């Protein structure tokens, strides 16, 4: 039987913590950073935990 493939788009955007929670990096930190204030950049750089409803679907994509 072949291996199950995980969704590569989901695996690039989400990581699993040791306790099984899913962490995501927020958007808007890819480009145009010189136009954003330092305060805004600090706030956007923080990772956030996904909601339970979202994490259930994404765990299926990641085969976890």
């Amino acid at each position: 039987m072949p291996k199950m493939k995980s969704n590569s788009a989901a695996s690039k955007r989400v990581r699993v913590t040791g306790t099984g929670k899913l962490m995501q990096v927020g958007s808007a930190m890819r480009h145009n950073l010189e136009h954003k204030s330092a305060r805004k950049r600090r706030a956007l750089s923080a990772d956030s935990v996904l909601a339970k409803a979202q994490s259930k679907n994404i765990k299926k994509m990641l085969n976890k």
Side-chain angles (χ1 to χ4, degrees):
M1 181 137 191
K3 290 183 180 178
M4 291 290 292
K5 285 192 174 182
S6 62
N7 187 313
S8 60
S11 63
K12 289 172 191 174
R13 289 165 172 78
V14 173
R15 71 178 193 280
V16 183
T17 62
T19 57
K21 293 178 186 173
L22 295 179
M23 299 289 290
Q24 67 154 0
V25 180
S27 60
M29 279 298 285
R30 297 290 186 204
H31 55 83
N32 295 340
L33 296 176
E34 66 268 12
H35 298 296
K36 296 176 176 112
S37 67
R39 185 178 185 178
K40 180 86 170 171
R41 279 178 296 187
R42 276 196 305 274
L44 288 171
S45 67
D47 297 350
S48 59
V49 180
L50 280 180
K52 275 190 177 180
Q54 279 183 320
S55 59
K56 186 178 178 185
N57 291 332
I58 292 181
K59 276 187 180 180
K60 286 180 190 173
M61 291 181 191
L62 298 175
N63 300 324
K64 298 282 180 187

